[in-house]
Amino acid sequence: MGFLTLFHMAFLAVSFFVSGALAAFGYTTSGNNFVIDAGSANPLIFSYSKQGTHIGSGLGKATVSVSQINGSKSKYIKVTCVTSTLTQYMIVREADSTIFMATYITAEPTIGELRFIARLLPDKLPYEYPYGEVSTTSGSSSTVEGSDVFVVNGQTRSKFYSSTRFIDEDSHCVYGGSDLMHVCIITPQQESSSGGPFFRDIDSNNAGGSTNLYNYMNSGHCQTEAFRTGLHGPYLMTFSRSGIPKRKTVDVSWFGELGVTGYVPDSQRGTVIGRASGIPSGFEGVVHWYNAAAQYWVRTASNGDFTSPKMKPGTYTMVLYQTEFKVATSTVTVSAGKTTTANIASTFNTSHTTLFKIGEYDGQPTGFRNADKFLRMHPSDSRMSSWGPLTYTVGSSSLNDFPMAVFKSVNNPVTIKFNLSSAPSKATTLRIATTLAFAGARPQVVVNGWSAPAPAAPAKIDSRGVTRGAYRGYGEVYDVAVPAGKLVNGTNTITISALSGSSGTTFLSPNFIFDAVELFY
């Protein structure tokens, strides 16, 4: 037995049924549909919901063709859906319960995001992996924000709370049934997506009418760089009764036999090797390469050594991160069939005398109040700790006494108190590292009654952040020069407020997220 796939001419839709009468591997036509049998020994049943599985918000009209290809190791059926700016490939391999896909674009879809959404039956596949019910909005009793954050059984839920950083992605799934069927999306690489290694977006959502499984390729959700065109993929939707499939087991090297536009085989790619240095113990080293056409990344070994993925030829900006905090930038040129050596060293200067430091420069709000919760719930959720306004006393407060974000209409300002036995006679610097700003918010500092000059507004990101479980933006770092004489012996007080000419209510008021705060000279 196998699974059956229908491709509608007017829009892209996918359906799965069980039938004891399916033929051997191959395809036939039925009206306006192509009927494809993978010849798999694993019978599957799952139908799309009324909305239909689709790319973007549907292709509208497309030219659809089907062909069978006899490859060197297997047989394949390739479905090609062509519009003026987008070509969608869906490929079935003989005896494999997987739909392999790739999306080639010459322009971003007019809806502003490029995504694959599988609309599956919620009674068959009600559950979500790996984060469980945090993104299950079925049965909601009220709406918290917009049309995408809801209350279910007294807890806030949203499809946005299913996200995983690109660098951490393995497989994300929906599942259910008496025989425990998992349907999973696996993306071996995101070279044509945008956002870099720490970008995250929607992965799954049981919305009641359908259980939705996503592959987000480009989106405007906390967008920090231009969208990339070209080939997105391969990526796959696989069906398993034998547990959760893993990305490391996926082999798509045979894609080169299928005539997929934009596919670049490994033989036409190059590699970068080298050593990253200057990352302190306790931080993760990450190397990131990007240009207008592609992006890649890799974690470093404990000694800093790294080997890049196979990369398209070209000149790339090369970035070193201390976990997620950018500490070095250079360039490197990659040539087809060659290995290039390029070392990179942190240029982040820590050669100064620190009076206090709250948090670490890791590009995340790690350890701050509610940083352990906001990825999977709304900041208004009753499970959140009080946002304040809070006062942090250096030397006695815990890191959890400092808020991960300051909201203009919720917890403005945050107050820092500290004692100096001998105040420095020279000027000092208050460094405020942030990860993401909303509605133009930036830190306004007051030191013992002295108001620092207002900083310029950050680069605008036209997207909600904290309320969607996002923290990654441009990572602005503000160095506030504190003149000599403003610090005193004994007790000192600093306040940090969210400054913005914009307004908003509660957690949609202007806000920014902290990475670290340090006073030094």
Side-chain angles (χ1 to χ4, degrees):
M1 281 204 227
F3 63 80
L4 186 80
T5 309
L6 305 185
F7 298 90
H8 288 223
M9 297 290 189
F11 62 91
L12 185 60
V14 184
S15 304
F16 301 94
F17 302 89
V18 162
S19 170
L22 291 179
F25 178 77
Y27 70 91
T28 58
T29 59
S30 176
N32 288 333
N33 299 322
F34 292 111
V35 181
I36 299 173
D37 179 13
S40 169
N42 189 14
L44 306 173
I45 310 181
F46 299 107
S47 176
Y48 64 104
S49 73
K50 293 179 181 180
Q51 288 179 288
T53 291
H54 56 260
I55 284 287
S57 288
L59 294 181
K61 292 185 178 180
T63 300
V64 182
S65 61
V66 180
S67 61
Q68 182 168 324
I69 299 170
N70 295 324
S72 60
K73 296 182 179 180
S74 187
K75 296 178 182 178
Y76 309 94
I77 294 172
K78 180 176 75 170
V79 180
T80 306
C81 307
V82 181
T83 72
S84 60
T85 60
L86 185 151
T87 300
Q88 178 70 14
Y89 297 96
M90 305 187 77
I91 294 153
V92 175
R93 181 167 58 178
E94 185 176 25
D96 192 338
S97 301
T98 300
I99 301 175
F100 297 87
M101 290 174 276
T103 307
Y104 178 81
I105 61 170
T106 57
E108 188 70 11
T110 56
I111 62 168
E113 52 187 27
L114 182 64
R115 61 189 180 180
F116 170 79
I117 310 176
R119 307 280 192 188
L120 304 171
L121 287 177
D123 59 330
K124 304 291 185 183
L125 300 164
Y127 306 115
E128 303 177 55
Y129 172 87
Y131 302 114
E133 62 185 13
V134 297
S135 50
T136 297
T137 57
S138 175
S140 64
S141 57
S142 61
T143 302
V144 176
E145 182 179 302
S147 58
D148 50 30
V149 184
F150 304 91
V151 175
V152 181
N153 297 327
Q155 298 181 352
T156 53
R157 308 268 184 89
S158 176
K159 59 188 177 182
F160 289 99
Y161 303 152
S162 66
S163 67
T164 296
R165 302 187 308 170
F166 274 171
I167 195 171
D168 298 325
E169 273 278 10
D170 193 337
S171 58
H172 56 272
C173 314
V174 296
Y175 65 98
S178 59
D179 53 355
L180 198 57
M181 169 64 67
H182 285 85
V183 183
C184 304
I185 293 285
I186 301 177
T187 306
Q189 46 79 8
Q190 293 101 346
E191 67 180 1
S192 297
S193 295
S194 63
F198 314 120
F199 184 77
R200 58 199 310 138
D201 217 321
I202 304 163
D203 281 345
S204 63
N205 170 224
N206 180 343
S210 61
T211 298
N212 307 318
L213 190 59
Y214 297 79
N215 177 35
Y216 259 88
M217 292 165 271
N218 280 336
S219 89
H221 303 149
C222 291
Q223 182 184 355
T224 56
E225 63 176 346
F227 295 141
R228 293 181 174 88
T229 56
L231 185 70
H232 292 259
Y235 56 96
L236 52 137
M237 183 167 65
T238 187
F239 300 77
S240 172
R241 285 196 176 96
S242 56
I244 299 168
K246 297 298 182 182
R247 183 165 65 175
K248 65 182 180 181
T249 65
V250 173
D251 175 19
V252 290
S253 60
W254 45 268
F255 242 71
E257 300 181 6
L258 303 182
V260 172
T261 301
Y263 181 77
V264 179
D266 285 354
S267 60
Q268 296 176 24
R269 296 171 177 260
T271 304
V272 179
I273 62 172
R275 174 168 289 185
S277 57
I279 302 298
S281 176
F283 294 89
E284 183 176 63
V286 176
V287 184
H288 171 207
W289 299 266
Y290 67 91
N291 59 23
Q295 59 174 5
Y296 306 94
W297 47 79
V298 70
R299 289 180 168 94
T300 66
S302 57
N303 66 353
D305 285 355
F306 61 83
T307 300
S308 75
K310 296 287 187 179
M311 299 166 60
K312 295 178 183 177
T315 298
Y316 291 83
T317 298
M318 180 175 174
V319 179
L320 176 63
Y321 298 97
Q322 179 174 290
T323 305
E324 292 190 28
F325 185 74
K326 184 189 296 186
V327 293
T329 303
S330 64
T331 59
V332 64
T333 298
V334 176
S335 301
K338 295 184 178 180
T339 297
T340 301
T341 298
N343 299 322
I344 188 168
S346 172
T347 59
F348 184 54
N349 184 9
T350 58
S351 299
H352 50 241
T353 299
T354 297
L355 297 174
F356 69 75
K357 185 172 68 169
I358 306 170
E360 298 290 347
Y361 296 105
D362 60 3
Q364 304 171 342
T366 310
F368 295 143
R369 180 167 295 188
N370 293 320
D372 59 336
K373 303 180 182 73
F374 83 103
L375 290 176
R376 311 297 166 205
M377 65 184 75
H378 192 269
S380 67
D381 196 290
S382 62
R383 293 169 290 174
M384 288 280 184
S385 299
S386 171
W387 286 96
L390 299 177
T391 296
Y392 180 93
T393 301
V394 175
S396 61
S397 293
S398 67
L399 193 55
N400 187 55
D401 292 325
F402 196 87
M404 60 157 285
V406 59
F407 300 85
K408 186 177 179 180
S409 298
V410 175
N411 61 341
N412 223 18
V414 57
T415 300
I416 303 170
K417 290 186 176 293
F418 59 102
N419 288 314
L420 294 175
S421 58
S422 178
S425 59
K426 60 180 69 176
T428 56
T429 298
L430 180 69
R431 174 168 291 162
I432 304 170
T434 68
T435 68
L436 176 65
F438 175 70
R442 62 275 195 193
Q444 173 66 67
V445 171
V446 177
V447 180
N448 292 331
W450 170 79
S451 294
K460 183 179 180 180
I461 293 180
D462 193 16
S463 174
R464 288 171 285 160
V466 179
T467 62
R468 284 179 166 177
Y471 65 89
R472 182 77 186 171
Y474 290 115
E476 288 88 357
V477 176
Y478 300 89
D479 280 352
V480 179
V482 181
K486 299 303 179 183
L487 298 178
V488 299
N489 295 339
T491 301
N492 292 263
T493 301
I494 294 175
T495 62
I496 302 173
S497 305
L499 172 68
S500 174
S502 300
S503 60
T505 58
T506 61
F507 296 103
L508 288 180
S509 63
N511 62 79
F512 61 85
I513 299 174
F514 288 105
D515 178 8
V517 179
E518 183 182 15
L519 182 65
F520 62 88
Y521 63 89

